[in-house]
């Protein structure tokens, strides 16, 4: 029970990152700043409305948007959906995360929205310090307690997909929410991506002496739709986050949870070298199949996981020092690859 309490409080406050390496670990490439007390009420809203509209219009001109929902096994996962174009893209994505709303007909089999039925997004504003202030209607508080943390993860990871958002502050009917009412998860500091998602602990890690790494493993629904699930795993404290990420991908998912590994246990890493804006991973030829091609799922997982944890924008993959690599989906990986803008395109 003591450990569960520590996870809840530390993860929400972003303390995990501060207690561990202090390195770039969950996508920003920087240590989390400690916020000054946030402004509340009309003053903050008046100063941020135009900023929120501007970011949304600039950052996504397409109708392809990412939402975070729950799958059949209870994992919070991103889905890329074709949603109506609106002025406020970020607000629209939240509206399409409401149970019983228009997203229902767009979700693949086994997926469900996490925000309670009837929830309305009254406003979504972003402050100059990259804090998204979301005001929900009172229906937001009618959630099932077992979904409390999942809801917070979904909202936070959804909004921090936008480059202009690093933290999230919740309100209900215009009033700051200091804690979630059912499970008592504290909200006295803004939520950040450093809270993790689908949190778990490696067997050899100790609370307070660990480094969080977010790994992308595979899952599949009953209609053979494959998708990536992000899992934040607390591992033994390390300063070499990139190596920890690849090592944990090779170790694979917790077998009891039903996710599929992306790298074979025999995979060997010859080197991992960072440079300006780029991180290079050199695997041995054991990563190749009998057809001398690398698994497309494995390469995408490596790219997603490394860009998530290190802050580097591009990944160069090599095999025995060579960059001429072909994947099982016939993509050429001879040049550095950037993180995809949208993960898990949904198939109905």
């Amino acid at each position: 029970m003591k450990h569960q309490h520590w996870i809840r409080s530390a993860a929400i406050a972003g303390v995990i990152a501060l207690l561990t390496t202090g390195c770039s670990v969950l996508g920003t490439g920087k240590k989390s700043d400690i916020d000054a007390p946030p402004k509340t009420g009309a003053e903050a809203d008046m100063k941020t409305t135009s900023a929120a509209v501007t970011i949304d219009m600039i950052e996504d001109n397409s109708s392809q948007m990412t939402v975070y929902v729950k799958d059949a096994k209870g994992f919070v996962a991103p889905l890329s959906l074709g949603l109506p174009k609106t002025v406020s893209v970020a607000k629209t994505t939240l509206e399409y995360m409401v149970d019983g709303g228009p997203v229902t007909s767009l979700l693949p089999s086994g997926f469900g929205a996490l925000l309670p039925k009837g929830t309305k997004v009254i406003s979504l504003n972003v402050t100059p310090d990259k804090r998204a202030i979301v005001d929900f209607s009172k229906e937001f508080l009618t959630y099932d307690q077992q979904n409390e943390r999942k809801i917070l993860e979904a909202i936070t990871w959804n909004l921090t997909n936008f480059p202009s958002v690093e933290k999230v502050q919740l309100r209900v009917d215009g009033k700051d929410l200091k804690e979630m009412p059912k499970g008592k998860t504290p909200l006295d500091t803004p939520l950040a991506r450093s809270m993790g998602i689908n949190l778990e602990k490696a067997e050899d890690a100790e609370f307070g002496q660990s480094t969080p790494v977010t790994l992308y493993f595979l899952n599949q629904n009953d209609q053979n739709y494959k998708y990536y699930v992000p899992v934040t795993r607390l591992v033994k404290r390390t300063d070499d986050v990139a190596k920890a990420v690849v090592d944990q991908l090779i170790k694979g998912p917790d077998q009891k949870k039903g996710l599929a590994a992306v790298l074979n246990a025999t995979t060997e890493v010859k080197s991992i070298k960072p440079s300006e804006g780029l991180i290079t991973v050199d695997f041995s030829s054991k990563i190749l199949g009998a057809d001398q091609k690398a698994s497309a799922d494995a390469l995408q997982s490596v790219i997603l996981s490394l860009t998530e944890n290190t802050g580097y924008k591009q990944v160069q993959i090599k095999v025995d020092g060579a960059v001429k690599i072909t994947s099982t989906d016939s993509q050429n990986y001879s040049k550095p690859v950037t993180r995809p803008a949208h993960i898990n395109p949904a198939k109905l």
Side-chain angles (χ1 to χ4, degrees), residues 13-317:
V15 174
I16 288 177
L18 297 177
L19 289 178
T20 56
T21 64
C23 298
S24 156
V25 288
L26 286 165
T28 63
K30 300 178 181 178
K31 294 181 182 179
S32 298
D33 295 326
I34 299 176
D35 285 340
K39 295 180 180 180
T40 59
E43 179 184 4
D45 290 343
M46 288 173 61
K47 291 185 178 181
T48 60
T49 300
S50 61
V53 173
T54 303
I55 348 179
D56 286 338
M57 292 180 69
I58 290 174
E59 288 176 355
D60 196 340
N61 294 320
S62 72
S63 60
Q64 197 76 4
M65 306 178 202
T66 299
V67 298
Y68 278 75
V69 292
K70 184 173 69 170
D71 73 2
K73 294 176 182 173
F75 291 106
V76 180
L79 286 182
S80 180
L81 304 174
L83 304 185
K85 291 183 180 180
T86 61
V87 172
S88 181
V89 174
K91 184 170 181 285
T92 298
T93 59
L94 287 182
E95 291 170 343
Y96 272 75
M97 289 165 57
V98 176
D99 186 22
V103 75
T104 303
S105 62
L106 302 178
L107 295 177
S109 173
F111 288 86
L114 278 161
L115 301 188
K117 288 183 179 180
T119 299
K120 296 179 178 61
V121 185
I122 298 171
S123 65
L124 170 58
N125 302 306
V126 180
T127 65
D129 67 346
K130 297 187 175 183
R131 179 164 37 95
I133 303 174
V134 189
D135 191 3
F136 290 111
S137 65
K138 62 183 180 180
E139 288 82 2
F140 176 72
L141 301 180
T142 63
Y143 62 90
D144 290 335
Q145 184 174 335
Q146 63 180 1
N147 287 331
E148 182 168 292
R149 182 179 169 89
K150 297 180 193 297
I151 289 169
L152 297 178
E153 290 175 356
I155 294 170
T156 303
W157 280 66
N158 184 78
L159 290 178
T160 53
N161 268 334
F162 294 90
S164 297
V165 176
E166 291 182 355
K167 305 162 191 172
V168 178
Q169 180 180 339
L170 302 183
R171 292 178 179 171
V172 172
D173 281 345
K175 296 181 180 179
D176 289 341
L177 198 59
K178 297 299 184 182
E179 69 175 11
M180 294 294 279
K182 298 186 178 182
K184 306 302 179 184
T185 303
L187 299 175
D188 48 337
T189 60
L191 302 168
R193 215 171 176 91
S194 56
M195 73 184 289
I197 187 168
N198 299 314
L199 196 66
E200 66 180 34
K201 185 180 75 69
E203 291 181 358
D204 59 352
E206 296 181 10
F207 293 99
Q209 299 291 325
S210 58
T211 296
V213 291
T214 297
L215 313 164
Y216 283 80
F217 296 117
L218 279 173
N219 207 353
Q220 184 171 299
N221 72 355
D222 58 8
Q223 296 181 348
N224 298 321
Y225 165 58
K226 289 196 303 184
Y227 56 95
Y228 294 97
V229 174
V231 173
T232 300
R233 180 178 292 170
L234 301 179
V235 301
K236 290 179 67 173
R237 178 179 288 181
T238 178
D239 291 328
D240 195 342
V241 175
K243 183 177 185 302
V245 167
V246 180
D247 286 348
Q248 291 300 315
L249 287 177
I250 294 172
K251 185 176 181 180
D254 184 336
Q255 294 184 353
K256 298 187 296 291
K257 295 185 177 181
L259 297 180
V262 289
L263 291 174
N264 292 327
T266 58
T267 303
E268 295 176 349
V269 181
K270 303 184 77 172
S271 67
I272 303 177
K273 296 179 180 179
S275 58
E276 187 173 352
L278 172 71
I279 189 161
T280 300
V281 186
D282 189 3
F283 292 99
S284 77
S285 59
K286 288 186 177 182
I287 197 174
L288 303 178
D291 57 0
Q292 293 303 297
K293 293 182 179 181
S295 162
D297 292 335
L299 297 185
Q300 280 297 305
S301 174
V302 170
I303 292 162
L304 287 170
S305 301
L306 283 175
T307 54
E308 182 73 62
N309 290 276
T310 66
Y312 290 102
K313 304 299 182 184
Q314 293 183 311
V315 179
Q316 175 71 71
I317 296 176

